[in-house]
């Protein structure tokens, strides 16, 4: 179940970013990568690439052993848009769904 949620979050993040310049992406290199699998209770990771992409994320299991057990994911990602502006999205994903926040995102 946790793997499915994590995979769904990664796909959602990938789809949320706008199309990028092909050459910049093709020649991008990883500048920083950190990963800490802290067991069944959660994980942490972060990366940054030379083409302006960055993401950090951490997750923890809450209400362990109850019928309300849930994986709570918190993180952020950033990218440089076609206009040269760096966009940042902070998010929480939990039993209430994916909840993104960013200065460039519309608010209900």
């Amino acid at each position: 179940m946790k793997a499915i949620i994590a995979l769904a979050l990664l796909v959602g993040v990938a789809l949320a970013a706008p199309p990028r310049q092909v050459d910049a992406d093709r020649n991008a290199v990883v500048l920083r990568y950190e990963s800490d699998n802290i067991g069944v209770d959660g994980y942490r990771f972060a990366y940054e690439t030379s083409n302006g992409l960055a993401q950090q994320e951490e997750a923890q299991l809450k209400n362990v052993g109850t019928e309300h057990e849930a994986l709570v994911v918190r993180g952020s990602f950033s990218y440089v848009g076609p206009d040269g502006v760096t966009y940042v999205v902070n998010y929480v994903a939990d039993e209430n769904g994916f909840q993104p926040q960013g200065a460039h995102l519309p608010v209900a």
Side-chain angles (χ1 to χ4, degrees):
M1 180 69 171
K2 290 183 223 175
I4 292 171
I5 292 172
L7 180 60
L9 288 172
L10 289 175
V11 169
V13 167
L15 293 175
R20 308 223 354 110
Q21 290 180 319
V22 175
D23 289 337
D25 289 341
R26 186 175 297 142
N27 299 319
V29 295
V30 176
L31 302 174
R32 180 176 68 95
Y33 176 76
E34 300 171 14
S35 178
D36 183 17
N37 182 349
I38 48 181
V40 295
D41 291 335
Y43 64 86
R44 264 184 228 143
F45 75 85
Y47 68 83
E48 184 177 347
T49 63
S50 62
N51 62 344
L53 297 176
Q55 183 176 3
Q56 66 166 0
E57 183 173 293
E58 65 179 55
Q60 286 197 307
L61 197 56
K62 75 175 199 178
N63 299 321
V64 179
T66 72
E67 67 180 58
H68 300 290
E69 185 173 279
L71 187 64
V72 178
V73 179
R74 297 181 189 282
S76 67
F77 64 90
S78 62
Y79 59 92
V80 178
D83 55 2
V85 174
T86 298
Y87 294 92
V88 178
V89 176
N90 297 301
Y91 59 88
V92 174
D94 57 15
E95 66 274 11
N96 298 313
F98 181 68
Q99 304 151 54
Q101 294 181 339
H104 63 291
L105 297 177
V107 177

